[in-house]
Each structure stands twice: as C-alpha cells, then as structure tokens.
Amino acid sequence: MVRVTDGGLEQKGCAAQSCLKMAQIGQWHVADGLSMDSHLYASNISDSLFNTTLVVTTILENPYLMLKGNHQEMEGNDRYEGFCVDMLKELAEILRFNYKIRLVGDGVYGVPEANGTWTGMVGELIARVRK
C-alpha cells in the first residue's frame, strides 16, 4: 500500500495481522515529478503484469492528470503529465507492464442515477467500458 503525504510517498505492508511501520519510499513535486528510492527496483517485482497493457480510466484533475501545453501535437500517453502519470511511469518500469491512459467520456467522477446506474468514471468502471 502506498500513501501520499505532504512529505512524499510512504509504503505500508502488512504481514498476517501485524502491519509494518510507514516508511517514505519516494517524493513527488509538481516541477520535478516523481522520484522513488532505487531499492524498490529490486524488490516486489511481479511477473503477473509482465507485458500486460492496462487501460487506466481517469479524468483531468490538477495536479494528478493534466494535458501538456502542446498536447495537440502528441499522441497517446505522451499528451498527459502530472502526479498520476509520473506514478504510472514508475510502476510500469518496476512491474514491467504497459498502460494506456483513457479519459472518461463525460469527464466526471460519477453520480448515481435514479435507475441505479452510475455516470462518469464509476459508471464506466462498473460497465467495464474498454476503448
């Protein structure tokens, strides 16, 4: 588990019923991006995601995911920047997976409708929309 704090990123692991103490594993800054401790590259490597492409459904929300100033000249994931993009790049490198960032069609997190369905990102996740 990773927790985002004002001081950086902290990793917390649980073994059986005892949880380990939080320890800072990296830091993110709006200008400098994400920097994670290099020891993570040698630990917790999983082959279960190797060469898998994940579709990351999200919305634009500063500073987590933003369009680059010249996004019209770019394609795919290169159009985006922000904390989530930096985190995805690091995780993809460590766990050796690929990803495709996909913006939600209506651009909202989602709210429940009277008929029991959801709009936005929640609705697309429930409906398993893949594009």
Side-chain angles (χ1 to χ4, degrees), residues 48-56 77 88 92 95-102 130-131:
S48 64
L49 293 176
F50 177 74
N51 210 27
T52 300
T53 298
L54 303 176
V55 177
V56 179
N77 297 336
L88 275 169
L95 299 173
R96 298 177 293 179
F97 66 85
N98 303 302
Y99 60 92
K100 177 185 173 192
I101 298 172
R102 191 184 73 72
R130 299 175 195 214
K131 292 181 185 176

Side-chain angles (χ1 to χ4, degrees), residues 45-67:
I45 300 297
S46 171
D47 289 332
S48 64
L49 293 176
F50 177 74
N51 210 27
T52 300
T53 298
L54 303 176
V55 177
V56 179
T57 301
T58 187
I59 65 170
L60 294 172
E61 181 76 35
N62 293 348
Y64 305 105
L65 186 88
M66 304 169 287
L67 288 170

Side-chain angles (χ1 to χ4, degrees), residues 58-61 102-110 119-121 124:
T58 187
I59 65 170
L60 294 172
E61 181 76 35
R102 191 184 73 72
L103 295 179
V104 172
D106 62 8
V108 298
Y109 287 109
T119 63
M121 184 167 38
E124 289 190 11

Side-chain angles (χ1 to χ4, degrees), residues 2 5 16 32 44 62 66 76 78 80 83 130:
V2 175
T5 68
D32 302 326
N44 296 324
N62 293 348
M66 304 169 287
D78 293 335
Y80 305 106
F83 172 76
R130 299 175 195 214

Side-chain angles (χ1 to χ4, degrees), residues 16-72:
Q17 292 188 4
S18 64
C19 287
L20 302 174
K21 182 180 169 188
M22 287 283 197
Q24 184 169 324
I25 61 167
Q27 190 167 349
W28 184 83
H29 186 271
V30 69
D32 302 326
L34 181 68
S35 64
M36 295 182 68
D37 293 346
S38 59
H39 77 277
L40 291 175
Y41 292 95
S43 65
N44 296 324
I45 300 297
S46 171
D47 289 332
S48 64
L49 293 176
F50 177 74
N51 210 27
T52 300
T53 298
L54 303 176
V55 177
V56 179
T57 301
T58 187
I59 65 170
L60 294 172
E61 181 76 35
N62 293 348
Y64 305 105
L65 186 88
M66 304 169 287
L67 288 170
K68 291 181 178 176
N70 59 344
H71 68 276
Q72 302 91 339

